Amino acid sequence: MIKIRNLTKSFNGSAPVLNGIDLDIEEGEIVAIIGPSGTGKSTLLRCVNLLETPDAGSISLDGEEVPVAHASKEQTLGLRRKTSFVFQNYGLFLHKTALENIAEGLITVWKQPKAEAYKKAQAILQDIGLADKADSYPASLSGGQQQRVGIGRAMASQSKIMLFDEPTSALDPEWVGEVLQLIKTLATRKQTMLIVTHEMRFAREVADRVVFMEGGKIVEQGPPAQLFDQPKDPRTRAFLQRVT
Ligand code: ADP
Ligand code: MG
């Protein structure tokens, strides 16, 4: 469903942060990305929905190939509509309620009438177990609830693929479980997902495939059992020894 080819990115002429990434993801597939920090994992996600402009490469989503280094306005909007992003620090609008946060993208990106957007947002709040928090502002929600709203916002856009950037790394340990549980629920619904995570146990449990990145490249990838239990590359082995 998504084909990433030769994705390349450097910042201010320094060494490339992404060094020719090729990655295919099937419809309904759940792919976890792991790797040391500073290795380009966030940059990869940000390039997929053009929060960053890559230097080279292409992304095909549902058959439409976009030359991402010089995408037209229309192609950029198209990619943004087909992808949705869940941020490490939730990325909520602090002066908007939970309901408004979820409805926001429907109104601005999808140009839906407000009444319709709020109705959909209310249904999503119900779905994520926060129906009673519709009128709460982020500051009055727990970290776990805020991130569930962040995920609710991604759910609202009904995008082809959800991109998660370490969705639990900013959370106090007590809130991690409820967020991972919600992601697992989406997985059972066959939502296509690309998840950068440092939760190895979660990656093993939920991912169809695990990708190990280092130095802006994909070093190794495979089903979780293979990658975690029989890593082929010494760099993968060294990383796993450090983190598990
Ligand atoms: P990871 O998510 O794997 O920890 P990142 O993609 O965040 O890695 O960062 C990879 C490298 O790119 C790091 O060296 C980081 O400092 C650099 N980098 C990321 N974003 C920017 C930016 N906006 N400007 C300059 N350097 C950046
Ligand atoms: Mg990161």
Side-chain angles (χ1 to χ4, degrees):
M1 184 189 70
I2 180 166
K3 255 193 197 6
I4 299 170
R5 287 293 174 272
N6 189 38
L7 200 63
T8 304
K9 173 75 180 171
S10 56
F11 292 101
N12 321 315
S14 55
V17 168
L18 296 179
N19 207 339
I21 298 281
D22 296 325
L23 184 64
D24 288 1
I25 301 170
E26 302 293 328
E27 181 140 28
E29 198 180 16
I30 294 147
V31 176
I33 301 183
I34 61 170
S37 70
T39 232
K41 305 182 300 296
S42 295
T43 304
L44 170 60
L45 288 194
R46 294 171 63 82
C47 282
V48 170
N49 90 335
L50 296 180
L51 287 170
E52 300 281 359
T53 306
D55 301 331
S58 68
I59 296 178
S60 311
L61 227 167
D62 260 0
E64 204 215 334
E65 183 176 324
V66 176
V68 281
H70 36 83
S72 70
K73 250 187 168 166
E74 213 170 67
Q75 289 172 322
T76 301
L77 183 65
L79 262 188
R80 294 218 173 115
R81 282 183 166 177
K82 289 179 195 164
T83 57
S84 56
F85 208 101
V86 176
F87 297 89
Q88 206 165 352
N89 293 304
Y90 329 132
L92 302 180
F93 297 107
L94 299 179
H95 60 286
K96 288 187 192 290
T97 64
L99 185 80
E100 290 166 343
N101 264 285
I102 293 175
E104 179 69 15
L106 294 173
I107 296 164
T108 57
V109 181
W110 287 97
K111 316 288 181 212
Q112 292 190 358
K114 274 191 175 170
E116 199 178 308
Y118 287 136
K119 207 170 140 197
K120 268 191 200 155
Q122 189 63 53
I124 286 170
L125 280 168
Q126 182 87 35
D127 192 13
I128 63 178
L130 292 175
D132 57 330
K133 300 291 183 191
D135 299 325
S136 300
Y137 288 87
S140 69
L141 299 174
S142 74
Q145 290 169 336
Q146 289 185 62
Q147 188 58 300
R148 281 152 68 197
V149 172
I151 294 171
R153 198 173 47 178
M155 290 163 70
S157 65
Q158 295 195 305
S159 55
K160 294 284 174 187
I161 180 164
M162 279 191 197
L163 309 167
F164 292 81
D165 192 5
E166 304 220 19
T168 61
S169 65
L171 291 171
D172 289 333
E174 59 192 310
W175 309 126
V176 169
E178 65 188 56
V179 170
L180 295 183
Q181 192 51 51
L182 177 54
I183 300 173
K184 280 184 202 168
T185 303
L186 296 176
T188 63
R189 296 178 191 169
K190 293 286 161 209
Q191 167 69 51
T192 313
M193 299 192 261
L194 183 55
I195 310 175
V196 173
T197 185
H198 61 282
E199 301 271 354
M200 298 300 146
R201 218 164 4 133
F202 171 72
R204 185 193 280 267
E205 223 178 299
V206 82
D208 299 306
R209 177 154 49 107
V210 181
V211 171
F212 173 67
M213 266 181 80
E214 193 174 274
K217 286 192 168 158
I218 293 175
V219 171
E220 179 170 357
Q221 54 181 309
Q226 184 198 312
L227 192 118
F228 286 122
D229 300 333
Q230 293 158 324
K232 293 194 183 83
D233 195 284
R235 288 168 291 178
T236 317
R237 283 202 289 271
F239 172 75
L240 290 173
Q241 259 163 22
R242 281 204 303 279
V243 298
T244 52

